[in-house]
Amino acid sequence: MFNKSLIKNILLYGIIAGLLTLTYCLVLANLGSVPLDGKKAPTIVLSLICMVLSVKAYRKNNPDQTLHFWEGLVVSNLTNLVGAFVSAIGLYFWLSGSGNYVLSTYISESIQTLQIPSVKDGYIKEMGGLSFMQLIQGFRDLSPKNIATDEITGLKGKLPLGILISIMISLYYRRGYIN
C-alpha cells in the first residue's frame, strides 16, 4: 500500500519538473529562440528525470525498499501530471503577459513557413486548399490557453508521453516484496 511519502514526493518532484520546463522556455526565449512546439520537446527529459527521482524516493521510504509495478506507475504518472499542470499554468501566464512577443513570433513564423511555395503546394496537394486555409486560420486563432492545454494533453504533451515513460520506469524500479 502507499506510504506517507506519496503526496510529498509527487508534489515536490512534480513542481520541480514544471519549474524546470518553465526555466528552459525562459532561457530559450532570452536566447532569441521561440520555445514552443518542437523546441520544447527536450522538456520531456526533464520530466523523466523528476519522475525517476520521485519513484526512487518513494521506494526508498518503503519499509523494506520495495515497490510494486502499480505503485511506480501511480507515483510517476502523478508526478508527471503535477509537473505538466505547473508548466501549463506558468506558460499560460507567461504567454498572456502584456507585450509578450513569443506567441506572436511563433504564429508569424509558422504562417511564414507554411507560405513557402514548396510547403504550401505539397500540403494543398495532399490535404486540399480548404484544409490549408483552416490550418492557417488555426495558427491565427492560437491563444495562450491552447498552448497550455497542449502542454498537458496534446499529441506531444506531457501526459501521453509520460504514460509510456512511467511504464518503463515502473518496470525498472519494481522490486517484489520478500515473503
Side-chain angles (χ1 to χ4, degrees):
M1 199 62 182
F2 294 111
N3 64 38
K4 295 177 185 177
S5 70
L6 174 73
I7 301 296
K8 179 184 83 169
N9 287 333
I10 289 170
L11 289 177
L12 174 68
Y13 291 106
I15 290 171
I16 290 171
L19 293 176
L20 286 173
T21 296
L22 290 173
T23 303
Y24 175 82
C25 290
L26 290 172
V27 167
L28 274 184
N30 286 332
L31 293 174
S33 183
V34 179
L36 299 176
D37 203 27
K39 293 180 182 158
K40 200 172 55 171
T43 61
I44 195 67
V45 174
L46 301 172
S47 293
L48 167 95
I49 292 167
C50 290
M51 290 163 67
V52 167
L53 292 173
S54 181
V55 170
K56 283 178 69 171
Y58 178 78
R59 186 175 87 171
K60 182 180 177 187
N61 289 323
N62 276 340
D64 49 359
Q65 295 189 357
T66 57
L67 180 80
H68 279 295
F69 171 78
W70 59 270
E71 286 177 307
L73 198 63
V74 168
V75 171
S76 58
N77 272 317
L78 289 178
T79 300
N80 185 43
L81 189 62
V82 168
F85 274 117
V86 168
S87 62
I89 290 168
L91 283 171
Y92 175 79
F93 285 114
W94 180 54
L95 294 173
S96 296
S98 61
N100 195 321
Y101 68 94
V102 174
L103 186 57
S104 59
T105 304
Y106 172 66
I107 292 169
S108 64
E109 285 179 2
S110 298
I111 291 174
Q112 285 175 350
T113 301
L114 289 171
Q115 295 295 344
I116 295 172
S118 61
V119 174
K120 181 178 180 179
D121 294 341
Y123 191 90
I124 290 174
K125 182 180 177 184
E126 292 293 320
M127 303 301 286
L130 179 63
S131 178
F132 181 76
M133 288 304 188
Q134 289 173 343
L135 179 65
I136 296 290
Q137 190 58 43
F139 274 108
R140 288 189 179 125
D141 294 341
L142 202 59
S143 69
K145 179 185 173 200
N146 300 119
I147 300 294
T149 303
D150 191 55
E151 173 72 8
I152 299 170
T153 60
L155 188 59
K156 300 175 198 170
K158 299 271 173 74
L159 195 58
L161 295 174
I163 290 172
L164 296 172
I165 292 170
S166 66
I167 291 171
M168 292 184 281
I169 292 169
S170 300
L171 284 172
Y172 184 78
Y173 282 102
R174 72 181 168 141
R175 189 182 312 168
Y177 287 85
I178 300 172
N179 292 334

